[in-house]
Amino acid sequence: MVDRIDRSRIARRKASTRGLAAIVLVVMAGGCATARPGIAEQERVDAATGPFGKVLVVAMSRRPDVRDHIERVLAESLGARGVNAVTAVSYFALSEEPPSRDEVRAIVERDRFDGVLVARLAARGTQYRQAPVAPGDPFWMRYGFYDYYWGAWPYVYSPSYLERVRLVALELRLFGGAGADGRLVFRATSDEFELADASRAVDSVAADFAKHLADAGLVPQAARADVPRDRAQLTAMSAAPGFERR
């Protein structure tokens, strides 16, 4: 006797697939990465402090490469507007542990920085997205019509597979330096972006952050007519003869 198709089992598998799709939609609605992130929120906290001419840039991360990249990109964006921006990694050796509060305070007081810019990557949740399926059929589609029919039917319109994406945002805080008692002057938070794209996203955020500081009167609008448009142009200009980094 030929076994009849177990329609109840197929119905259960279709229901589980619809449930998964609903979960994915709910999770994705909770956060969305921006293709070219900029500053999403900002606030001028202290109107009496500023403008800034010499700033120490400190990134908070236990990954030395991430800390180095964030500090360099932010310093370059501020330097393009005439600020003497110096990275903390130029004072302290790169390691998993960031410099201590007392070490940073000693540098600020000794070298008379009038501002300290602190940046950190803050977690913003998880996003799931559908990824394209690789060429070829799944294994259960390779053994004839009956296996194909049984295996493929419950998954009509279902996702190929899902990728888990970690979302972060760059938090930026500008404090008063020597003589300002470390008062918070300006704070900003970027749009959300994928952690895997942090290197490219920080470039975009840093440029927008420098513009917001200029609009708030905390740094010059533009120090030179030949201000580079992106980090690649700045790197090329820095290597050219006669270029002076202030």
Side-chain angles (χ1 to χ4, degrees), residues 3 42 47 50 54 58 76 78 85 95 97 129 133-134 139 144 151 164 176 193 195-196 207 212 214 240 246:
D3 293 337
Q42 60 168 332
K54 188 175 183 179
V58 183
E76 289 169 355
L78 294 177
S95 65
E97 293 297 326
R129 66 183 178 196
V133 68
F139 72 93
R164 180 182 179 184
F193 53 87
L195 180 60
H212 282 284
R246 287 178 275 181

Side-chain angles (χ1 to χ4, degrees), residues 27-111:
V27 174
M28 291 184 67
C32 182
T34 305
R36 184 175 175 81
I39 297 301
E41 301 176 358
Q42 60 168 332
E43 181 184 6
R44 175 76 181 266
V45 180
D46 184 352
T49 305
F52 295 90
K54 188 175 183 179
V55 175
L56 179 66
V57 182
V58 183
M60 302 174 67
S61 173
R62 296 194 183 278
R63 283 187 51 181
D65 58 327
V66 173
R67 190 160 76 246
D68 176 60
H69 178 75
I70 293 175
E71 290 185 5
R72 285 191 294 105
V73 171
L74 287 170
E76 289 169 355
S77 295
L78 294 177
R81 293 185 177 272
V83 178
N84 183 6
V86 184
T87 62
V89 297
S90 63
Y91 285 96
F92 308 102
L94 280 173
S95 65
E96 292 185 359
E97 293 297 326
S100 68
R101 178 178 61 180
D102 292 338
E103 289 174 326
V104 174
R105 184 196 298 273
I107 294 298
V108 170
E109 296 295 336
R110 187 194 72 188
D111 291 353

Side-chain angles (χ1 to χ4, degrees), residues 6-19 140 149-155:
D6 188 348
R7 296 185 181 276
S8 62
R9 181 166 54 181
I10 292 178
R12 288 194 300 270
R13 296 176 67 183
K14 291 176 68 177
S16 64
T17 301
R18 288 194 298 269
W140 39 261
Y149 182 86
W150 179 87
W153 179 257
Y155 295 98

